Every structure is written in C-alpha cells, then in structure tokens.
Amino acid sequence: MTVSPTPQGLALRGDLLDFGAQPGWAALEDPAVRYRPDHWLLIGPDGRIAGVQKEEPGPEYRREDHAGKLILPGFIDTHVHCPQLDVIGSYGTELLDWLNKYTFPAECRYADPAVARAGAGHFLDALLAHGTTTAVVFPTVHKVSAEALFEAARQRGMRLIAGKVLMDRHAPDGLRDDVAQAERDCIDLIDRWHGVDRLSYAVTVRFAPTSTPAQLAMAGALCKADASLYMQTHVAENRSEVEWVAQLFPTARSYLDVYAREGLLHPRAVLAHGIWLDAQDRRTLTNTGAQVAFCPSSNLFLGSGLFDWPAARGAGFAVSVASDVGGGTSLSIQRNLLDGYKVQAMGGHRLSAWAALHAATRGAAEALQLGDEIGSFDTGLLADVCVWDWARGPVAQARHAVARELHEKVFAWMSLSDERNLVRSFVAGRSAALPTVG
Ligand SMILES: [Zn+2]
C-alpha cells in the first residue's frame, strides 16, 4: 500500500512585522504595530497564512530559515504605469510637457501585441523584484495592453487591478479611442477578466483633460452598473493641469467635481496625487469612500507639489502610497516612503515608519476592500510575503547595529533600504522572484 504524501506547508523564520490596525500619525510606540522577532510564519498548502508561532514547526511544514531578516507583507503599489518603465528618469519637464515629450510616444508602442506582452511580463517581474506583490496599474489606451497585463499577472498568481485606459481627446494619433469602441472594449475585458483568479477590473480614466464629457459619462455608467469594479484616475497633480481642467469643464466646482458629478467617486476609486484639493474636495472624498494614492517621488521629480497627508487624515479619507513610475523615480516602495517622509517634513509634519508602512500594506489593502485577502499576517489571508535584509553595505549595517528602539531600527531600514535588500518574494505562498540586482 502506498501512502500519498501530505501536502506540505511552508514556514518562514524571521523578524515578522505587520499591523493589526491603523497606527497613529506620529506615535513611535503603538499597539497597532505587531512586531514578532524570531518567529515562524506558517503558510498552508493552500497558500494562505496558517498562523504565527515562536516554536519551530513540525514536518508538515517545509522550513526556510531567515533568522535575522525582516519579513513583511508584500507591498501594495496603488498607482503605477506599466509602459512608463521605458521613460523613468526623463529630464526636464513638468506634467503636461512630460506627457507629450516622453510618455505618449512610449505608450504608442503598446499597440503592438508583442510589445505589450513583453512589457507586461518585464513590468510585473520588476514589481516582484522590488517587493511589490499587488498593484493598481495603468496600461495604455490599447485593449491589448490590458489583456497582456491581466494574462501576465494571472500566470504569476498576482493580485492585480487594471483596466484599459480611456482617452478620446487631447492625445496624439494612435493613443485615442472613441466612446462606443471604448465601451465595447471595457465590457469585453470586464466579462473576461474581472473576478478571474486574483484580477479585478478598474474603469481607467487617464485624467479629465483626455476624456470628453461623453466618455466620462460612459465611465460613470460602467461604475454605477457594477459596484465591484474599481476606478482609477489622476486628480489635481499640477497647477497648470488644474487650470486646464477649469477651462475644459467651466461648470465643475473643482477638478475633483468633474469626476464626482459623473459618479466616478466610490469606495473602489483610487485617485493619484490629490495635491491641489480644497476642504470641500476632501469632504467629497471622505463621503464617497474614495482614496488618494500619494505619489511622493513623482511629485518631487515633476515638481508637482506637496501632498498634505495630515489634512487627508483630518478629513478622514484613506491615503495609500504609490510609485507612479515613470513620473516616479523608483518602483521601490521604501524609496517612495522616504520621499513621502521628506514631503511631509516640508509641510512641518513627521511621518512615522509605522504610518508609512501601514499605508503600503494593511492600509492600502483595506482601502482597496482587500483586507480579507492581503496586507497583513492575519490567519486566512493569502501569503503575499517578502523577506528583506535589515541592512546591506557598511553604512546601513553600522546604523542598524547601533539602533536601540524598534522604531529607530525600522525607520532606518525604511530610509536606507531598497530593492537590493530583498531576499525573497512570495505570492500566495509560492516563491515569486529573486532580486534581479546584486
Ligand atoms: Zn500616474
């Protein structure tokens, strides 16, 4: 008689850090922080988190010993552009010139299915190699670019939110759709991809200037017809952009109001930037349940402005953190969090490592209504997990060695680490990627 082997789980040993709730804005000791040094994270054969324990687990788990390393939930990047890896680090422009000079030409190439497929695979592998296991992604206006992204994410077992970009004006030839065709493409993509495995569809309005009122109305109708759909767009990033929107939509109260009056703001709406908002806009975000993706490296690089995170917290809407590559200068969430710290410091505020890391993990998951799937080490969640070196190189190692308090240690890690610190990424308990850089 043969006995079939019991499916084995996976156990990861290391310093486990996640959050049980939202920490305070600046508190350096906070009960929301769950730090469990030298513990085992247990992952069942189904790829879900089975528990955390101090004792070494039995033979039903394959053991990976990462003692002395930091283990975090995989990062969630709530705003990033797949085709813009090709224009990251482009010199000398603000938003509107940057789009015309660098970004639109790069996006034109994605009409070619071969380019779209290769680009999607390259992009998702790059995310995983930076410790990002979930993303809310813009492909391009081309239906094939969204298809390629969904297909590549499905192959990798990743949680991904994306949708074909809507833009029917103020864009070059080859990057415009029209309302009827765009609607057909969205409906077809929703039918075939939304809710499949770990994929969700986002109605994706590039930004108000590149959609006619008729297209915005169509996008709003899609959202109203199915509350499980996401919506992603940009809002109030740059002052010239805000002035342009005021000219294009003279009856709207504000830039945000262009979206609000079409029904595009709802609990699954992710709006990038939100720098130039007023108090009434903030109340609207809170009342609709929409969230803002704070994109600090992009905001600094393009000279867009300084996002007021404390005002957002005061108003009560959710803020997540995003790379916005290629306006942003790195897919590394740590680098973006450090830039986020600097942006807040310019406004006279200090962002704790806890508030920052929560926003990139559990906070983003909950804001995306995915808190029952990702974002923490709660039992039953899918094991999207990353193992990190605490310190690489003599400067970071010396700094780590003298850190006394936990926040000091974690803040120094957040400030001095990047994708080179990544040891392993796991997606639903399966090893996803090794770092591509040494
Ligand atoms: Zn963007």
Side-chain angles (χ1 to χ4, degrees):
M1 192 180 92
T2 57
V3 179
S4 55
T6 309
Q8 220 179 6
L10 172 67
L12 304 175
R13 180 187 187 182
D15 299 332
L16 308 183
L17 174 62
D18 74 334
F19 298 90
Q22 183 178 39
W25 170 255
L28 302 190
E29 289 186 27
D30 196 302
V33 179
R34 290 195 298 212
Y35 182 61
R36 290 170 282 195
D38 198 18
H39 276 59
W40 291 87
L41 179 68
L42 308 181
I43 302 167
D46 59 355
R48 293 185 180 275
I49 289 167
V52 171
Q53 65 186 41
K54 181 76 179 153
E55 310 76 41
E56 187 166 347
E60 68 275 27
Y61 289 97
R62 181 172 66 79
R63 279 157 282 180
E64 270 193 31
D65 192 340
H66 297 293
K69 299 193 188 301
L70 176 64
I71 302 183
L72 287 168
F75 285 133
I76 301 166
D77 187 338
T78 54
H79 181 76
V80 59
H81 299 255
C82 167
Q84 294 181 15
L85 276 187
D86 291 344
V87 298
I88 190 170
S90 291
Y91 172 76
T93 52
E94 288 198 3
L95 173 66
L96 300 176
D97 290 337
W98 177 83
L99 286 170
N100 288 317
K101 187 171 179 183
Y102 300 114
T103 304
F104 287 158
E107 293 191 6
C108 282
R109 297 177 57 235
Y110 275 65
D112 179 344
V115 171
R117 275 195 293 272
H122 171 59
F123 171 75
L124 294 181
D125 287 341
L127 286 182
L128 292 168
H130 285 73
T132 296
T133 51
T134 289
V136 185
V137 184
F138 273 61
T140 65
V141 71
H142 313 101
K143 185 183 182 188
V144 68
S145 74
E147 300 256 20
L149 203 48
F150 283 129
E151 185 63 50
R154 191 182 193 189
Q155 286 167 1
R156 289 160 180 78
M158 285 177 77
R159 161 49 73 177
L160 188 94
I161 298 167
K164 177 207 118 59
V165 179
L166 298 169
M167 41 201 297
D168 66 346
R169 65 171 173 174
H170 298 140
D173 291 348
L175 277 189
R176 288 188 309 275
D177 54 14
D178 62 64
V179 177
Q181 184 62 49
E183 183 176 32
R184 282 195 295 275
D185 288 351
C186 288
I187 289 170
D188 184 54
L189 288 165
I190 292 164
D191 283 347
R192 288 192 297 116
W193 294 104
H194 183 56
V196 173
D197 294 344
R198 303 183 70 188
L199 311 175
S200 292
Y201 195 83
V203 175
T204 302
V205 176
R206 176 165 217 122
F207 69 150
T210 46
S211 284
T212 56
Q215 188 172 61
L216 293 173
M218 182 274 284
L222 288 173
C223 290
K224 282 174 212 152
D226 183 350
S228 71
L229 293 173
Y230 288 86
M231 195 288 295
Q232 60 176 340
T233 190
H234 300 83
V235 71
E237 176 177 359
N238 166 291
R239 276 176 287 199
S240 303
E241 172 209 21
V242 173
E243 285 168 20
W244 192 23
V245 171
Q247 290 163 16
L248 291 170
F249 299 91
T251 62
R253 193 200 71 80
S254 67
Y255 188 160
L256 186 76
D257 187 47
V258 173
Y259 302 136
R261 62 189 192 171
E262 296 297 352
L264 289 163
L265 304 185
H266 50 74
R268 292 190 167 205
V270 182
L271 296 107
H273 309 297
I275 296 168
W276 306 101
L277 300 175
D278 63 19
Q280 190 167 334
D281 290 330
R282 292 189 188 94
R283 281 195 294 276
T284 299
L285 288 168
T286 304
N287 293 338
T288 55
Q291 68 167 300
V292 164
F294 172 33
C295 306
S297 78
S298 171
N299 297 160
L300 292 170
F301 184 71
L302 295 176
S304 300
L306 306 175
F307 174 70
D308 189 341
W309 196 336
R313 275 188 76 123
F317 64 86
V319 176
S320 51
V321 177
S323 70
D324 192 29
V325 162
T329 49
S330 176
L331 291 175
S332 163
I333 292 296
Q334 297 101 299
R335 289 194 177 198
N336 279 281
L337 293 175
L338 178 61
D339 280 339
Y341 177 86
K342 295 173 185 173
V343 167
Q344 296 312 311
M346 289 298 292
H349 307 287
R350 293 294 181 267
L351 174 66
S352 73
W354 308 141
L357 290 168
H358 172 266
T361 55
R362 188 181 189 116
E366 290 179 346
L368 293 169
Q369 300 192 334
L370 294 173
D372 58 355
E373 179 184 326
I374 53 172
S376 76
F377 297 143
D378 286 354
T379 299
L381 270 57
L382 283 169
D384 291 355
V385 175
C386 292
V387 181
W388 300 91
D389 276 325
W390 272 110
R392 278 179 62 94
V395 172
Q397 284 165 353
R399 179 68 185 90
H400 178 71
V402 298
R404 293 151 299 166
E405 308 295 332
L406 180 62
H407 184 269
E408 181 184 0
K409 193 157 115 170
V410 175
F411 187 79
W413 175 80
M414 189 181 98
S415 301
L416 302 176
S417 72
D418 58 24
E419 70 273 18
R420 287 167 290 193
N421 291 59
L422 184 68
V423 178
R424 275 164 99 60
S425 301
F426 296 89
V427 172
R430 287 191 311 161
S431 182
L434 291 172
T436 56
V437 286

